Amino acid sequence: MGAYNKIHYYFGDGKGKTSAAVGAAVRMAGSGGRVVFCQFLKSGTSSEIVVLSAVNNIECMAGDEPMGFVWNMNAEEKIAAAGLTQKLFEKRAEAGKQAQMVVFDELADAVDCGFLDKDRVISKLQLLAADAEIIITGHRKDRDFIRIADYVSEIKSIKHPYDSGLKARLGIEF
């Protein structure tokens, strides 16, 4: 792919950011490309990981330890989670040098909550884009990610059962 590699940024409060990234990963793997699919702030037990792990040419890398929701963490837990997230980002970025696509699912959220330094992340992503197509997902609109991205998609929630108190459902939200 070389000079044609692009950076994608999918963000918003709507359902479908990870699903879009999964679809792109499957498409790349189906064309014979190697994919590294990385998840941040997730336990690695989401249903998409089960399927992606079984697909030839896709390597899944998720957190080794469940972190829980950031808003439920105390200061000590946040420090520990930030350290773990930093190590995982470096490991994942290094693994991505041998792939045609790297998906960084929820990376923008890991930056937004202060677990990763945005300037360092952007620098690494721009270097990695010389070797691979890059996909970043997250919830909040970030001007710096928009600036470096070639594709930017905002996924907006109009209506979601969660708003009425329905918990996440297996096979749909996780």
Side-chain angles (χ1 to χ4, degrees), residues 24-143:
V26 168
R27 180 174 285 152
M28 178 60 76
S31 72
R34 183 171 178 274
V35 177
V36 175
F37 193 95
C38 313
Q39 288 191 317
F40 293 85
L41 308 178
K42 293 182 178 179
S43 66
T45 58
S46 294
S47 299
E48 67 269 11
I49 295 298
V50 173
V51 172
L52 290 175
S53 295
V55 176
N56 287 336
N57 297 340
I58 298 180
E59 176 185 1
C60 295
M61 301 176 82
D64 297 329
E65 300 175 24
M67 287 192 215
F69 292 115
V70 175
W71 57 84
N72 290 334
M73 292 180 184
N74 62 35
E76 186 176 300
E77 291 169 328
K78 286 181 182 179
I79 291 168
L84 178 62
T85 302
Q86 290 163 15
K87 280 192 248 177
L88 291 174
F89 175 72
E90 296 298 329
K91 179 180 173 184
R92 292 162 180 174
E94 192 62 34
K97 291 180 181 176
Q98 305 304 317
Q100 284 70 52
M101 176 181 281
V102 184
V103 176
F104 290 103
D105 188 32
E106 306 293 353
L107 176 66
D109 291 344
V111 169
D112 188 52
C113 71
F115 288 0
L116 294 168
D117 177 74
K118 185 192 297 183
D119 292 335
R120 182 164 175 74
V121 165
I122 286 175
S123 177
K124 284 261 189 189
L125 293 175
Q126 289 175 313
L127 287 172
L128 190 54
D131 299 316
E133 197 86 358
I134 307 298
I135 298 177
I136 308 158
T137 71
H139 287 83
R140 294 204 180 115
K141 182 178 187 176
D142 184 286
R143 294 185 193 284

Side-chain angles (χ1 to χ4, degrees), residues 15 157-169 172-173:
K15 180 179 169 14
S157 179
I158 304 301
K159 185 177 181 181
H160 194 292
Y162 181 80
D163 300 332
S164 301
L166 186 65
K167 301 267 189 224
R169 298 172 298 141
I172 304 299
E173 285 89 17

